[in-house]
Amino acid sequence: MKIEVHIKDKQFAINCGDGLQKVKWLGDVAIFRHSHFYSQINSTTKGIKLENGEMVDLNAIISSTLAENTHVWVVLKEDLEAMGMDAKQQQQQHKRPITAVSRRK
């Protein structure tokens, strides 16, 4: 299973194998790759959002939440600040169920 992960101005195709990792793992891998190939990111994954802006639960399992080749965007601390959200508001976003993404096999 492959997911297209956007972070800052870069995009990485991340192979997730069977996709049994948590969604947060996608952000962690993207931060590592961006830091390795471009510039260091001194932040952790604060959220993952879909193209429509809907936040994905970081603790959800990739394969049961995202379809193959889905594009997602990593939300960093500075992104939350730019969106005018604090950590509590961001956590509440994750409590809403994702209904926009269907899983394809």
Side-chain angles (χ1 to χ4, degrees):
M1 162 169 228
K2 182 178 74 170
I3 304 293
E4 298 292 331
V5 182
H6 301 259
I7 184 166
K8 295 199 174 262
D9 61 342
K10 304 297 180 198
Q11 177 180 335
F12 299 98
I14 297 180
N15 186 342
C16 307
D18 291 333
L20 301 177
Q21 307 88 332
K22 292 183 179 183
V23 170
K24 184 180 185 306
W25 177 85
L26 290 169
D28 295 341
V29 171
I31 288 171
F32 175 80
R33 289 188 185 177
H34 191 283
S35 295
H36 181 75
F37 292 109
Y38 301 102
S39 62
Q40 183 70 29
I41 295 177
N42 294 318
S43 186
T44 59
T45 304
K46 298 296 182 189
I48 298 287
K49 65 180 180 177
L50 300 171
E51 190 169 4
N52 66 4
E54 190 172 359
M55 300 293 281
V56 180
D57 181 0
L58 293 177
N59 292 312
I61 301 300
I62 295 168
S63 63
S64 62
T65 307
L66 303 173
E68 177 83 17
N69 295 317
T70 298
H71 287 253
V72 298
W73 282 258
V74 177
V75 178
L76 303 171
K77 182 179 179 182
E78 58 267 26
D79 300 326
L80 285 178
E81 292 167 356
M83 292 170 22
M85 296 177 72
D86 61 21
K88 187 175 181 178
Q89 289 171 316
Q90 185 266 339
Q91 287 175 351
Q92 289 174 343
Q93 286 283 328
H94 292 305
K95 293 180 182 176
R96 292 186 4 224
I98 299 292
T99 57
V101 178
S102 61
R103 185 170 170 239
R104 295 181 299 188
K105 289 189 178 186

